[in-house]
Amino acid sequence: MSDAVKTLLIELESELKQQQLWSAAPPDAKAMASTAPFCCDTMRLEQWLQFIFLPRLQALLDAHSALPTKISVLPMAEHAFNAYGARLAPLLGIIARIDNTLSGDA
């Protein structure tokens, strides 16, 4: 499973960049310290994906630690990216595959 997750993380990063949702600078320390789900009170979802989600999963992979087994990022992504319409369908597809892979539904 870890190889599949690594591939999906690379795809997620690539798609965020392709959709011009990749930030050059991280959010400030206060934003990063949010305890709200998806840091929804301090950053946009694409920032959370880039600066929280991707690094945490990559750190777990690098440490050969257990990966989360029940995640559900897709509903939040569908809500957060609704205004973009079909343009972000590939991004949502990658997020769905990450959810399914980690939750054992793949």
Side-chain angles (χ1 to χ4, degrees):
M1 177 171 64
S2 63
D3 287 341
V5 173
K6 285 179 189 179
T7 299
L8 287 166
L9 296 182
I10 292 166
E11 289 180 31
L12 179 59
E13 179 177 337
S14 176
E15 188 63 25
L16 286 167
K17 288 176 179 177
Q18 184 172 335
Q19 295 295 339
Q20 298 179 345
L21 296 172
W22 194 260
S23 298
D28 63 30
K30 182 180 176 183
M32 297 287 284
S34 170
T35 58
F38 306 102
C39 299
C40 63
D41 59 338
T42 59
M43 62 180 80
R44 296 181 314 276
L45 185 63
E46 62 267 23
Q47 291 174 305
W48 178 83
L49 289 167
Q50 178 181 350
F51 295 106
I52 305 289
F53 185 72
L54 284 169
R56 284 189 182 166
L57 283 180
Q58 190 60 56
L60 290 172
L61 288 167
D62 291 346
H64 303 287
S65 296
L67 295 170
T69 57
K70 297 290 180 201
I71 72 164
S72 187
V73 177
L74 184 61
M76 182 61 175
E78 289 172 333
H79 174 74
F81 298 136
N82 185 47
Y84 291 94
R87 181 184 127 206
L88 292 188
L91 178 62
L92 294 174
I94 294 165
I95 292 169
R97 288 179 21 233
I98 292 169
D99 280 1
N100 291 338
T101 300
L102 289 173
S103 297
D105 299 331

